[in-house]
Structure formats: C-alpha cells, structure tokens
Amino acid sequence: MHIKKLTICVMTATLLLPTLIGINALTPGEPAANDSGPSIATYNNEGPESAPGYVDPVGLAYPADPSNPLALVQKTGPMGPNLPIRAGMPSDVSFTEYLPQVMGSVHAGGIVLGAITDPSDLAGRAGPINISGTTGGSTGNPMYGSSGNPNGVPNGGLTDGWVRSLASPADNVNSANGYVRPMVPLKPQTKREFRGAWIATVSNIDWPSAKGMDSFFQRAEFTKMMNELYRMGMNAVIVQVRPVADAFYDSKLNPWTEYLSGKQGVPPDPYYDPLEFMIREARKRNMEFHAWVNPFRACLRATTDGLDPMHVAVLHPEWTVTYDGRMYLNPGIPEARQYVIDCIVEIVANYDVDAIHLDDYFYPYEATNQMFRDAEAYAKCGGGFASIDDWRRDNVDRFVCDLSKAIKAEKPHVKFGISPYGVWRNVSEDPTGSESTASQTAYDSLYADTRTWIREGWIDYVAPQIYWEFGRPAAPYEKMVDFWVNESRLNDNVHLYIGLAVYRIGSPNENAAWMDPNEVPYQMRYNAAFPEIKGNVFYSANQLIRNRLGFADRLKYDLHTSMALVPEMVWLNTGRLTEVESVTPRRLTQHNVSLTIKDSGNETAEYYVVYRGTALNGLDTEKPYSVVGVVRRNKSGPDTIYLDIGLLRGQTYIYAVTPMDRLFREGPISAKAQIELT
C-alpha cells in the first residue's frame, strides 16, 4: 500500500476542507514532519497509488488536476455522506457537492452550494459553475437554492454580511406553541465570534461511535466529524479527554479509557495517541482545541470492578464517595483535589492544547433520598465554616483557583474555561439571582460559585449551559441570558459564551417549542444583541451532524456564512506581532490568484489573516466578509503561499494581510496589494 503526505495549500475564499497535494512517504498515524511549519495542513492518504478514483477512508481525495482544485467533488460514500472523490469517475457516481464550498458566502463569486447539474462541467474549469439550475451570481448577491436544504433557507436580504436567518413575517413567534419571543434587532455578523462544538466521549456519545473500534476507523470517524464541523463554520472544538478518571492520551496518572479499546488500561490498537492526533486535526482546520476534563467523576459504576489497577479509585479508595450508583472523588480531600490538578497539568505540559475546559460536574447533581457521604472529611477539614455547604463551596473555589494558577504557571497562553449549569441561584434564594425557579442550582446543589470565579478572574471564559427554550416557566432562556450578561460585567477579562441545546432540536422527547426550526437560530439572534456575549457553544457534535430540522444547514448557508476569528483575550499575551514584509498577488488563471506572504521574521505569528476587497467597494478589514482565509505561517521558510480561487474575471481585487498569534491576537495590517483578473 502506498502512502502519501499531502502538502500544498488549496484553501477557498470562505473555508471548507483544505485540498492538498504532495509526495513524501508517511506511516499511518505518524505526525507529519512539517505539521507545525507549513502554510497549510497535512493529511495522510492511504490507498493504491494508481487508483484514479480512490476514496480514502479519512475523507480526502486525489485532485483530478493539481492545477485546478475546483475539479474536486463529493459524493455519498461507504463511510457516510459527502466523502470526496476524484472528478472523472464512472457515470454512476452521484455528484452532490462542489469543492471547495463557499457556504453561501457573499464573496468567492457568489458560488452556491448545491447539486452539480453537469458533472463533466467540472473538468478543467474554475470559477462560478451551474448548480441546481442556478448560476453563481456576482459578488455581494448570492442566490440560495434548495438542493441539500430541505428546510428551505430563505432568499431573504443581506444586512452587512448577515443573511437573514428567520423568514417568517412574525419570526419572533414560535410556530409550534405560539410563544412570542422577545423582539431583538437583526445584527450583522461580526469578524470575531467563538463558535465551539462539544465532542463528548463518555459512553461513546459522540466519538468514537463504539468501543473496540480499530484505530484506523477511530481516526476516520474523527476526521469526518471535524470536516462536518468545519463546514458549519466552527472555529473551536471542546473534546472530552478525561471523562471518568481515565485518559484519551498517554498518561502516567490515568489509565487508558475503555471507550477506545473496550477495556480500561488497554491502548488503541494499532497504537496511536488520540489526543495528539485530535490536536493535529484541529490545527489543520485552524480550529482551537479545548481539552475537556470532568474533574471529580471517577466511575459510572458503584464498584471498582473492571477498573485498571492504576485507576485512582483502586489506588486511593479513601478519596472516593459512592453516590447514586456512581463513584466520585471527594473535593473535600486536599490530596484528591491536588491529584486532579496534577492530571490536568500533565495534559498542559505534554500536549499543545489551546485551553482546559471543565463542565458542570463538581459535586454531583442532587438525587432523591441520597446523601453525599463526606461528613468525615468535613469533620477533619471543615473547621471555621458555618455549614457543610459553605465548606463544599470553598473546596470547589480552592480547586478552581489553584488549578488556574497551575495552568498559567505551566503555560501562560493556555486558556481556562468552565461551562457551569445555567442557573446560578434563583431570585427566591438570592435577590441577585436569576428570574427562575429551578429545582437545582449551581451554587446550592453543585456548590459551584461561578460569580466568584468571574469576579476573581480565575477563569478566562464562562460558557453557561442554557439548555431551555424561550418562556420556559422554571428557567426562561431570555431571563437566563440576561442574568449571565449581567454577571459577565463583573470582569471584562472573562469572556461569556452561551451553551446551546442542539440535542433538543426536533427531538420527539421534547416539548412543542423544540419543534420550531427557528428556536435555536432565534436564540443565536438574541445572543447577538449583547456585545458581552462573544459566541456560542453547541451540544453536541453528533447532534449537529444529524441536522434535525435543518439546523446544520442553517449554520452552513445562513448563520455562519462569514468565517469568524476566535475573540481576542487581550489580557493574555504571547509577545509582539510585527507587520509582514510584503504581500504579492499573482494571477494563476482568470479566476485564481496566488498570494505570497513574505514574513518579517516574526516568531510570534502562528497564522496570517487574509483580507480581500475590490476596487469597486474598497477593503474594510473590520467587516467579516472581508476575511477570506486564515493560513498557518510557514515556519520553515520566509514565504507562505495562499490560494484564492473562484474569483470573477474582470474584477480588480485588493488584498491585505495581518499576522496573528496562537491566541488569535492580530498584529498590524500590511500594505495593500491589488491585481486585475483579465
């Protein structure tokens, strides 16, 4: 079997999977030698070298013509929908997509995603093509077909790059239950917005789909999932790497998770390091990787049966508490807290993660007629506290504070975020609480005082899980958002992202509100009205991919039509960024331009942001539709190459570039360069 490493950049004006071509040999699972250096991503392609239409299982393809990346198309393949294949396949191939895709963007010549009416039209052709009977329009006037969009993304008007996501004249009314949502103005998309997806691994919720899967197929599944999320405009993934005191990585402190091999303590077969692999896949797509850790959940069972000998519950049963049929580490034991901190620092020290992420589990959710048996620890360590509740909150506070310090001491640039339960306290319990009547709250049930964490600046972002609809009696979505917006004002150096319940959309187990395809889009619209809200996080990845009520389509063709940079955390700093030396556009064809970005020796730069305008409309680098690409800096040489494809013949294009560090902090903009396509 011949194996190739693909190493030449082909990125569209508005994101999809980079299309890559190249030569060197590479062993499956082995990191590419230049993963951290080239201006593009690298992929492994496995298959017979001579097979012209070979579809590799990780979702890549050989281009029909290396000089014409538009010759790549996609079809429904054996691993699932939309696996790329090479153009020129037999006539029975069902062509469904044009690649690179522009996701309904206002740039890249107005090309629209849809079914290709004439597959042969792809051969040797660049620029706008006919799809679904619709011709790609001029820049700034895209047309939206219905192919691949059963829920009918509307043709509605553009407002400064934001495509109207709600088509009904009364789009603030839930069509399923008649509830009138609060009216908010339609806001334009912004250049910076956090767009994250949770990938849950516990019980194989999102990935891998089953225990005991061969390593090759584990990687194939993850790559395919990342491709789908990338197509939805995501710029971050939050992956559960330590779900139950186990590890999706090579650890000296935790056993290998059973959710990989099927047996705890057994590594993947053939061996690879999943965390290293996942980070590499995120890097290929310029997405942040947040390592999600469940700190105190030890086992989903009440006994140690089946646990590896190095599992903490086996080594230190005195640190555990059995509650409601599960085992937890006791946050009231200082040694247990330090163990969890050591486990997280191990991740930070050994892996190139962008952030550490904790969920809502500190003390467990309250169960009927159950008692968390930590009285002995309270008697030993709880002196000076008026109640066991205050002591428990102090335990969690100490843990969060100490963990924050430990992360920053190891790597100051690594972010620290927490996703708490959406209700801090009810107003009936605290006049400063939210207008809610929830039966459990973060403060009183989980002993998680997020207000203190925000005020003290122990975390870099908070992403409350507001998993309810507008008008929910116990916890109305709008009231919960209002509360967290007000909380975020306690400290400007803590970002606020909102966790959204994609898993409820169209679910037969939910109430009528979730049968309205506009419920979550309107939640996003509501969030956009607050400058304090810097983005959204969607739970979870598989639920997004299922596309219930067409929500994934809405993201791809409507809500995320412009790419977004991760919001800057100005209080974190990786050093000075200097202007690039030069940007030189070169005409490749009537529709394609190559940009050569000459580096100025700026070692802090991790990426370059490419901006594009026209002589007719100018170039405004503050507008989201001006951002046409983000490319990784070529650290092995002075030049980074970016391909801008699918442009309009006869237009004069203006380009500018900024350096950007790994924290997505931009440096000064370059001198503008322009080119006319004749």
Side-chain angles (χ1 to χ4, degrees), residues 414-429:
V414 173
K415 303 172 183 179
F416 178 30
I418 295 179
S419 178
Y421 181 64
V423 180
W424 177 70
R425 295 196 88 185
N426 297 317
V427 69
S428 61
E429 298 152 336

Side-chain angles (χ1 to χ4, degrees), residues 141-146 149 152-158 163-164 167 558:
N141 184 28
M143 293 174 288
Y144 290 78
S146 60
N149 177 24
V153 171
N155 295 331
L158 295 173
V163 181
R164 188 169 180 80
D558 191 0

Side-chain angles (χ1 to χ4, degrees), residues 591-618:
H591 302 285
N592 301 339
V593 168
S594 168
L595 287 185
T596 299
I597 305 167
K598 186 169 288 297
D599 191 70
S600 57
N602 188 347
E603 291 301 318
T604 305
E606 192 74 20
Y607 311 94
Y608 294 119
V609 184
V610 180
Y611 294 91
R612 186 185 68 208
T614 65
L616 179 64
N617 299 317

Side-chain angles (χ1 to χ4, degrees), residues 579-585 595 611-614 617-621 653-657 669-675:
E579 183 179 329
V580 300
E581 184 176 318
S582 64
V583 177
T584 306
L595 287 185
Y611 294 91
R612 186 185 68 208
T614 65
N617 299 317
L619 174 61
D620 186 344
T621 57
Y653 291 96
I654 303 171
Y655 292 95
V657 170
I669 194 162
S670 70
K672 296 177 182 177
Q674 70 179 45
I675 187 171

